[in-house]
Amino acid sequence: MAGKYINILLAGLLTILLLACSDDRDSLSGQASGDPLLTFNMTRAGGDIVSNTLVYLFDGDGGDAGRFNQKVQGVTYAPDRLSMTVAAGTWDIALVTANTDFSGGLIQPMRSAAREDLKMWETRTSGGTLPSMPELRTASIDGQLVIGGQDNSVSGITILSRNVALVKVVIADAGGLDVNGTHNFELKDVPTTLNWEGGLFPTAKNPRVSSVPMTGTFRVKDSTSLPGHQRSDTLYFVIPAHKGNDYLSVNPKDTTGSHMKVSVDLACEGGTRFKKTDVVIPRVPRVNGILLVRLLVGGKLDVTADVLGWEDVELNADLSQTQLYTDKASVGLSHKDTLYVNTNASDFTVDYPTGGWITSVRKIADNGVEITANVDTYVDGQPRSSYITVKANNVTKKIPVTQRPDEGTITVDNKRLVFCPNLHENRQVAITSTGGNWKFLTTNPRKAAANVQGGNAGISNVNFTRSSVAYNKTLDEGHLVYGDTLVIVKNVMTLDTDTIRLVNCYIYVDNDNTIDAVAPQGEATQAVTNSQDVIVYGGTKMIENFNPQQTWIHDISWDPIGQILSFTTDRNTGNANPEDDDEPRSGTMTFRHASCPDYEVTANVYQDIIVTIPPFHYFVVKFVWTAGNDVDIAVGFFGNHLSGNGSNNALYDGVTVGWQQNAPSYAAGDGVGRNALKYKNDRLLTWGGDATTKQGETAFFNAPLFENDANSPRKIKMEIYAAWYDNNAPTLPAPMTMSIKAYKDGEMYIGAGKNASDPENNRNFYNRGGTELYSEEHIVSIDKLSTGSSDAKAYKTKYTHVATVTYDRVKHSAKIDVWARQK
């Protein structure tokens, strides 16, 4: 199985890595059926972000692409992840969350409506003012293909980022204001509405704005360092912001063109008031950014604005006109990078959080700041963030620092190495590492072994040798060694990685390289075989170019999903010697591995006319007769050796049921005593009782008790013996009818009648509630006479050996060989 994995970094932008998988036959744990399970791992997000996340599905292709389909229900919330199932299809997935419960304000989309036409959020007035909205975060995961009933592997990158802007307003410099007075502020023409694509509604250039302002009240205080100057506290407002198609760019173009306005009503010393209305803010807000608005009051109102990263601290101008700039707003590095500082101050200082993954920050020539990071603790695929601070006089700038790979610094010349037996045992790949040494993150992969596990910067030639094991169906060792795997090679200095896929092709044919072909039954002239004896590993898991060596084998096909080889065989008739008609026969077929076309396998095909019974739960053998009154049978499992030690399985082997046999007495609760063999706390083999007046004698075995039985071989043999008792015995040899039935499900019970004429007499077992899968009869000659219990104990010589039943506990089927003479 398989799911989607989301790694989230707690910063203004939360990076999401997506992977999806359902059933994968190359993996040891796969999802067998049902809609694919999606798991959003959010281990770095706060619990409030996780618990508030909602998931919506929009159609991802066709004429309905971009139209709303459904909200995902039944989401399971854990402290660090979300889990859910979705139907197969191509989806545009929308995630919406916030650090507070926002669901009451979210506008639910209408089914079949387009995303850009659907309002997602609209801030509504409350008490005559416009309030701030929650810090809404959204992400779009478009065109994600989920295929039901087969392997899936989908990957992509998206950003779970704020769909809002933070507006910070401060009186940066003023004079003559009453520090004890009331100072009112209004923010006007504020956007209110977002659509389900994360854009301003109805458009970025002409958004819906509120006629009611956002309001706040400043607290003003005098400067202690600069007499005659005043400064206020900061007002904060969270508003909808436009998430355009280039919002991650340093200078995005797809932004709103709508400017907001400010109005102030400030108390002055002496009881007068300073009022200004509808002054335009010169900058527009940016999504996931801070719009810092500074008010300068001195006989007139000047408004300046800057757009800052959300993580930036406020640029605290110290009124002495200190300027502090850096050549980049943030730093992305693997091991080391340099930031350059431009300031009119005489000097500056740098600092960073100690104890983290940033190991060194130091000033170098030309106002450079060298930042060094720890590469040993970096977790691949999980970029991490921190910061450094640069300070000049009273101005401090906080610079985000993200550790991530330097892409393109590690490459391999062959990303797919295909192996197969004898022909391609070894493959070579050239690894080019720039700026640092390299190593394999996947050490000693089971599919193939590399001659080295790491190397130096430059070009390294690496040899891989194919792995091979003797296939063991019990341990499934072949599933571990054959097939596909990924080997990741990493530049240990730049953190960049590349991937090599190892494809270890192998074709396994069960049963000593022999495929059992179904024989036509009854009047049929052909039979179709759907064999699971062939297992194909590696690449597409396809075999092709089928070439049977005999004309009676034809119409061959391969199902790579079910791993089923299908072919048709003709009836074995028309031989030169008629006695050879319908006899067993052998043939061969050859086929090639599609991912390694020069790897060819020749498999034997064996067709046996012996009837193979379909998978069953109960196997019943019954003897009925007309001549004579009394027949005795002996039924037991024999020759079932444990693998490797050659000794019989004493837990049930060699113990027979029947009159005067070795199995202990078993009472079914119906008042009839009979012999039964107990195994795994249940009846394995049961005899119906001694029939002395032609009632018939029955024995059955309980097949499910052999399921996954470590104490038994795969194929288990049961022997059947019978003899006439001397009480009114017929002239020998005498015929009797052996009937064989197989049942699936239900229960076995013994009849209640006491006479042979009763439909269900108390010497025979019957099935209730199940399905009869198979039935056949043989009239056999019983030519042995039993004269008492001593003969019963010597049944192997005193009774007629009637038949052998061989049960295949892996294929859940049985075959019968009849040894007694048949009429």
Side-chain angles (χ1 to χ4, degrees):
M1 3 133 136
K4 285 191 182 256
Y5 300 90
I6 296 184
N7 300 318
I8 294 183
L9 304 179
L10 279 181
L13 300 181
L14 306 187
T15 303
I16 301 175
L17 174 63
L18 303 170
L19 297 173
C21 60
S22 61
D23 179 35
D24 185 351
R25 290 178 62 92
D26 278 348
S27 67
L28 296 180
S29 58
Q31 192 172 331
S33 62
D35 289 337
L37 175 67
L38 305 185
T39 301
F40 293 71
N41 289 326
M42 306 169 78
T43 56
R44 294 172 179 257
D48 50 359
I49 293 290
V50 177
S51 61
N52 289 321
T53 300
L54 303 177
V55 184
Y56 293 80
L57 298 182
F58 294 81
D59 292 320
D61 60 0
D64 292 330
R67 298 185 179 273
F68 176 65
N69 187 284
Q70 60 179 298
K71 176 184 178 182
V72 176
Q73 305 293 334
V75 178
T76 301
Y77 294 90
D80 61 351
R81 68 190 61 199
L82 311 175
S83 297
M84 66 210 71
T85 57
V86 301
T90 300
W91 301 109
D92 292 347
I93 304 174
L95 279 74
V96 189
T97 187
N99 55 356
T100 59
D101 184 5
F102 66 96
S103 58
L106 199 68
I107 301 173
Q108 301 303 312
M110 295 182 295
R111 187 172 179 83
S112 299
R115 295 169 65 176
E116 66 271 15
D117 298 332
L118 289 169
K119 293 192 292 185
M120 179 182 70
W121 178 271
E122 186 168 22
T123 310
R124 294 180 172 85
T125 59
S126 176
T129 62
L130 188 68
S132 286
M133 67 177 291
E135 286 188 23
L136 209 65
R137 294 178 182 268
T138 62
S140 294
I141 308 165
D142 291 342
Q144 297 305 303
L145 179 63
V146 180
I147 302 175
Q150 73 174 64
D151 298 352
N152 289 273
S153 181
V154 182
S155 64
I157 296 291
T158 190
I159 297 294
L160 181 62
S161 62
R162 297 184 185 92
N163 219 149
V164 299
L166 176 62
V167 181
K168 299 168 68 172
V169 185
V170 63
I171 299 177
D173 192 19
L177 299 182
D178 184 356
V179 296
N180 296 314
T182 301
H183 308 281
N184 299 317
F185 171 79
E186 291 183 347
L187 183 64
K188 296 183 176 181
D189 294 343
V190 178
T192 61
T193 312
L194 294 170
N195 65 25
W196 272 94
E197 285 190 332
L200 287 175
F201 180 87
T203 67
K205 303 303 180 185
N206 186 28
R208 181 172 295 179
V209 298
S210 175
S211 60
V212 177
M214 304 181 91
T215 63
T217 302
F218 291 116
R219 290 181 297 175
V220 176
K221 58 184 178 180
D222 295 326
S223 174
T224 57
S225 59
L226 295 173
H229 291 270
Q230 296 171 314
R231 181 181 174 88
S232 75
D233 61 350
T234 304
L235 302 181
Y236 298 86
F237 307 95
V238 180
I239 66 172
H242 182 71
K243 185 183 280 189
N245 54 30
D246 60 346
Y247 72 97
L248 293 177
S249 173
V250 176
N251 295 301
K253 304 300 182 185
D254 186 3
T255 63
T256 183
S258 177
H259 288 261
M260 295 184 291
K261 301 173 183 176
V262 299
S263 295
V264 295
D265 180 3
L266 309 177
C268 299
E269 294 174 346
T272 62
R273 300 195 68 82
F274 176 83
K275 296 182 180 181
K276 291 291 182 180
T277 60
D278 297 340
V279 179
V280 175
I281 300 174
R283 301 286 297 271
V284 294
R286 185 183 302 173
V287 70
N288 199 46
I290 299 172
L291 179 63
L292 177 59
V293 180
R294 298 186 183 89
L295 306 182
L296 305 174
V297 182
K300 63 177 182 176
L301 178 63
D302 290 327
V303 179
T304 65
D306 283 305
V307 177
L308 310 175
W310 193 289
E311 292 295 309
D312 277 2
V313 298
E314 182 180 336
L315 295 180
N316 295 317
D318 62 359
L319 304 181
S320 63
Q321 303 304 310
T322 298
Q323 296 178 355
L324 176 61
Y325 303 98
T326 56
D327 67 329
K328 42 194 167 186
S330 62
V331 176
L333 54 75
S334 56
H335 170 58
K336 186 178 294 186
D337 198 8
T338 300
L339 176 79
Y340 289 94
V341 177
N342 186 4
T343 180
N344 60 355
S346 60
D347 197 7
F348 66 91
T349 61
V350 293
D351 199 3
Y352 66 101
T354 58
W357 53 268
I358 297 179
T359 57
S360 171
V361 175
R362 68 188 185 94
K363 295 167 62 177
I364 59 176
D366 299 323
N367 280 1
V369 177
E370 182 187 76
I371 307 166
T372 305
N374 185 329
V375 296
D376 295 329
T377 59
Y378 177 80
V379 178
D380 292 291
Q382 298 184 16
R384 52 189 178 182
S385 295
S386 185
Y387 63 91
I388 66 170
T389 56
V390 182
K391 184 176 182 181
N393 295 331
N394 290 328
V395 180
T396 301
K397 187 170 182 63
K398 186 177 181 180
I399 308 296
V401 181
T402 300
Q403 188 179 31
R404 46 88 182 124
D406 285 341
E407 297 182 356
T409 56
I410 186 79
T411 58
V412 295
D413 67 338
N414 190 349
K415 294 182 179 294
R416 187 171 184 265
L417 306 181
V418 179
F419 304 87
C420 58
N422 302 321
L423 300 168
H424 304 295
E425 297 283 349
N426 299 280
R427 293 291 196 186
Q428 186 180 84
V429 63
I431 298 173
T432 302
S433 183
T434 304
N437 298 340
W438 65 269
K439 69 176 181 179
F440 284 126
L441 297 183
T442 311
T443 58
N444 299 319
R446 298 293 298 271
K447 315 301 182 184
N451 64 323
V452 294
Q453 295 300 313
N456 300 322
I459 300 177
S460 303
N461 292 318
V462 180
N463 294 311
F464 281 89
T465 301
R466 170 183 175 272
S467 298
S468 176
V469 296
Y471 187 91
N472 185 314
K473 194 159 185 123
T474 303
L475 299 177
D476 278 343
E477 183 70 12
H479 289 283
L480 298 176
V481 172
Y482 304 121
D484 295 9
T485 193
L486 294 178
V487 178
I488 299 174
V489 56
K490 178 180 180 180
N491 186 318
V492 296
M493 184 61 68
T494 68
L495 305 179
D496 193 16
T497 60
D498 205 352
T499 302
I500 306 170
R501 178 175 292 275
L502 305 179
V503 183
N504 190 358
C505 298
Y506 187 68
I507 302 174
Y508 170 77
V509 183
D510 196 9
N511 195 26
D512 295 327
N513 199 51
T514 300
I515 303 169
D516 290 326
V518 175
Q521 299 296 309
E523 301 299 322
T525 60
Q526 292 183 333
V528 176
T529 299
N530 294 309
S531 174
Q532 292 183 297
D533 290 332
V534 180
I535 302 176
V536 182
Y537 297 95
T540 61
K541 296 185 285 188
M542 283 286 296
I543 51 176
E544 57 188 9
N545 295 89
F546 300 103
N547 184 19
Q549 306 302 305
Q550 291 77 30
T551 58
W552 56 270
I553 305 171
H554 52 89
D555 296 329
I556 307 172
S557 64
W558 171 252
D559 172 14
I561 303 300
Q563 296 275 284
I564 296 173
L565 179 68
S566 300
F567 57 93
T568 300
T569 52
D570 299 329
R571 196 178 190 98
N572 186 11
T573 57
N575 292 287
N577 183 355
E579 292 183 359
D580 293 334
D581 285 353
D582 289 335
E583 287 297 306
R585 59 181 168 176
S586 298
T588 59
M589 69 169 71
T590 61
F591 38 80
R592 296 177 179 177
H593 198 297
S595 297
C596 191
D598 46 355
Y599 170 33
E600 185 176 86
V601 167
T602 299
N604 300 315
V605 179
Y606 178 75
Q607 187 183 64
D608 193 343
I609 64 168
I610 298 175
V611 176
T612 298
I613 301 176
F616 59 87
H617 287 102
Y618 306 109
F619 183 90
V620 182
V621 57
K622 179 179 179 180
F623 289 89
V624 295
W625 59 91
T626 56
N629 289 329
D630 192 0
V631 168
D632 292 328
I633 65 174
V635 180
F637 296 98
F638 292 91
N640 300 300
H641 305 300
L642 288 175
S643 176
N645 62 17
S647 61
N648 281 341
N649 187 342
L651 295 172
Y652 61 80
D653 205 77
V655 181
T656 53
V657 299
W659 183 72
Q660 293 294 311
Q661 297 304 314
N662 298 325
S665 177
Y666 177 84
D670 55 8
V672 179
R674 57 188 179 276
N675 287 351
L677 171 60
K678 197 170 185 180
Y679 184 58
K680 294 185 177 180
N681 298 318
D682 202 350
R683 285 181 293 174
L684 173 63
L685 182 61
T686 307
W687 173 54
D690 187 20
T692 59
T693 56
K694 303 179 183 178
Q695 300 101 318
E697 289 204 11
T698 304
F700 79 91
F701 79 84
N702 190 1
L705 291 182
F706 287 130
E707 186 76 21
N708 299 321
D709 188 10
N711 295 315
S712 299
R714 171 178 166 176
K715 295 182 179 180
I716 301 168
K717 292 184 178 181
M718 184 180 76
E719 305 292 351
I720 302 171
Y721 296 83
W724 296 102
Y725 192 71
D726 62 357
N727 182 17
N728 295 319
T731 302
L732 301 181
M736 66 175 64
T737 300
M738 178 180 70
S739 64
I740 298 164
K741 294 181 182 294
Y743 297 97
K744 182 178 182 180
D745 299 325
E747 62 176 352
M748 300 302 297
Y749 69 96
I750 200 164
K754 297 183 178 180
N755 301 312
S757 60
D758 294 323
E760 294 184 353
N761 66 71
N762 64 0
R763 289 297 182 264
N764 285 275
F765 276 98
Y766 307 91
N767 182 270
R768 175 167 50 213
T771 301
E772 183 180 297
L773 296 178
Y774 181 79
S775 177
E776 66 171 295
E777 288 187 350
H778 298 273
I779 299 176
V780 295
S781 293
I782 305 301
D783 54 6
K784 296 293 183 71
L785 180 67
S786 171
T787 59
S789 61
S790 60
D791 285 353
K793 300 296 184 182
Y795 60 88
K796 287 189 177 181
T797 57
K798 298 292 186 178
Y799 285 23
T800 298
H801 187 192
V802 180
T804 299
V805 176
T806 302
Y807 175 63
D808 188 325
R809 65 182 182 85
V810 174
K811 294 184 176 180
H812 313 289
S813 62
K815 70 174 184 178
I816 305 105
D817 294 315
V818 179
W819 310 117
R821 288 181 293 172
Q822 301 184 53
K823 295 292 185 179

